[in-house]
Amino acid sequence: MPLDPQTGVRLYQFIVDRLEDRRREQYPTGREAYEADWTAAHDLEKNFAEAVHAEDLATAEQLLRKLMDMAARWPDHPHHPANQAPDRHQGDPTVPGTRS
C-alpha cells in the first residue's frame, strides 16, 4: 500500500465502518469497546498522516502496519483495503492475481 494520506484515511474509514457494524450488532452493550477501538484507530491514522507529511517513512510504515493489523479482524470483508485492486476498485475474482 502506498504511504500517502489517502491510504491512512481509507484504512481508518474501513475500520470505523466495521466498528460501527459491531456496535450495532452488540447494541445496547459494546459502547466502551467501540470507543476504545475508535480512539486507537483515529490516533493511528492521525499519527500516520503526520509521519507522511514529515516524510518520516519508517514511522509511517510502522503505523500503516498497525492500521492493517486493526483491519485484519475482517480479512474476508469485500471492502477490506487488501481486497482491492491497485486502482482501488474491488478485485475481480475471475482474473488471476486479484482478490474479491
Side-chain angles (χ1 to χ4, degrees), residues 6-17:
Q6 293 80 14
T7 299
V9 169
R10 281 186 313 135
L11 269 168
Y12 167 74
Q13 192 58 57
F14 172 78
I15 293 165
V16 168
D17 288 347

Side-chain angles (χ1 to χ4, degrees), residues 11-31 33-35 37-38 71 73-80:
L11 269 168
Y12 167 74
Q13 192 58 57
F14 172 78
I15 293 165
V16 168
D17 288 347
R18 303 298 68 77
L19 292 174
E20 288 176 3
D21 291 344
R22 185 183 73 187
R23 183 179 64 170
R24 280 190 291 276
E25 291 168 3
Q26 295 176 351
Y27 183 81
T29 63
R31 180 176 171 231
Y34 166 82
E35 289 175 356
D37 288 343
W38 182 91
R73 299 177 193 172
W74 306 279
D76 297 325
H77 192 281
H79 297 117
H80 191 286

